[in-house]
Amino acid sequence: MAEAQLQQFLEKVRQLNAFVALSESQPALRDALRACDQHHEVVALAAQHGFDIGRRWGDSQAAPAQPKERPSDQINLFSSLCPAAGEERVDRLIEGPGWRLERIHSCLASSPEGFWYDQTETEWVLVLRGSAQLRFEDEQHSRDLCVGDSLLIAPHRRHRVVTTDPDPGTLWLALFCSADA
């Protein structure tokens, strides 16, 4: 671990410990924390009390840089401007007969009420940055996904996005394959 990452880690632990101590001394804050369902709600509550606990490994304190001009055959998967809250952007990276690879960047996005994806393709997704909750129609509870989590979704397995992170959003890599690929 580089020294800068170590210092970032230690600062996050310090802020988490201070936030926990404050919540133990203030019953109203503890109740508000207990009412949080999602990671970004805890991060926002901590920020209201002056704590920065939301930065992830490798995230800098500075605003994300604008994507650099690159040759058309070279991209950086993490170089993507966050879409507006409630939106997502899909970039097709590469495709072949019966398959395609996409980068999906979502920000506080969710499927419309009552809407379920019902795809004819197999979909494999990987969370590159952020977190999300997905719900399958045949399961009682939502699934929490975070950085590094992947999921294989069979054709016609109905599912929906419950929520994704606020800015800088959730960044996905999605591979779609048809049955004849």
Side-chain angles (χ1 to χ4, degrees), residues 121-141:
E121 303 162 299
T122 298
E123 179 182 4
W124 175 81
V125 294
L126 168 68
V127 178
L128 297 172
R129 179 175 61 215
S131 63
Q133 287 185 336
L134 293 184
R135 172 86 193 280
F136 289 93
E137 188 177 44
D138 62 348
E139 293 181 2
Q140 186 175 0
H141 301 287

Side-chain angles (χ1 to χ4, degrees), residues 107-121:
C107 181
L108 280 176
S110 61
S111 301
E113 192 63 37
F115 174 82
W116 295 90
Y117 288 99
D118 187 353
Q119 301 164 170
T120 59
E121 303 162 299

Side-chain angles (χ1 to χ4, degrees), residues 32-76:
L33 188 56
R34 186 179 296 115
C36 292
D37 288 342
Q38 300 163 14
H39 170 77
H40 69 270
E41 292 173 339
V42 174
V43 170
L45 182 61
Q48 290 172 6
H49 291 83
F51 299 103
D52 178 14
I53 64 169
R55 206 169 327 120
R56 294 176 175 87
W57 286 108
D59 288 351
S60 66
Q61 288 182 303
Q66 296 289 326
K68 295 178 182 175
E69 188 76 27
R70 295 179 183 267
S72 62
D73 64 347
Q74 178 184 346
I75 67 163
N76 182 309

Side-chain angles (χ1 to χ4, degrees), residues 4-16:
Q5 287 181 319
L6 175 59
Q7 292 304 317
Q8 182 181 359
F9 171 75
L10 294 173
E11 176 60 17
K12 184 170 183 173
V13 169
R14 187 189 68 71
Q15 295 221 12
L16 280 166

Side-chain angles (χ1 to χ4, degrees), residues 10 16-17 21 25 27 44 80 102 110 115 124 140 159 164 168 171:
L10 294 173
L16 280 166
N17 285 333
S25 68
S80 176
E102 297 177 345
S110 61
F115 174 82
W124 175 81
Q140 186 175 0
H159 62 284
T164 62
L171 199 58

Side-chain angles (χ1 to χ4, degrees), residues 12 27-28 33 51 60 70 76 84 87 90 116 142 145 148-149 151 153 162 172 181:
K12 184 170 183 173
L33 188 56
F51 299 103
S60 66
R70 295 179 183 267
N76 182 309
E87 301 292 323
V90 177
W116 295 90
S142 298
L145 301 174
D149 286 341
L151 186 61
I153 304 171
V162 176
W172 310 78

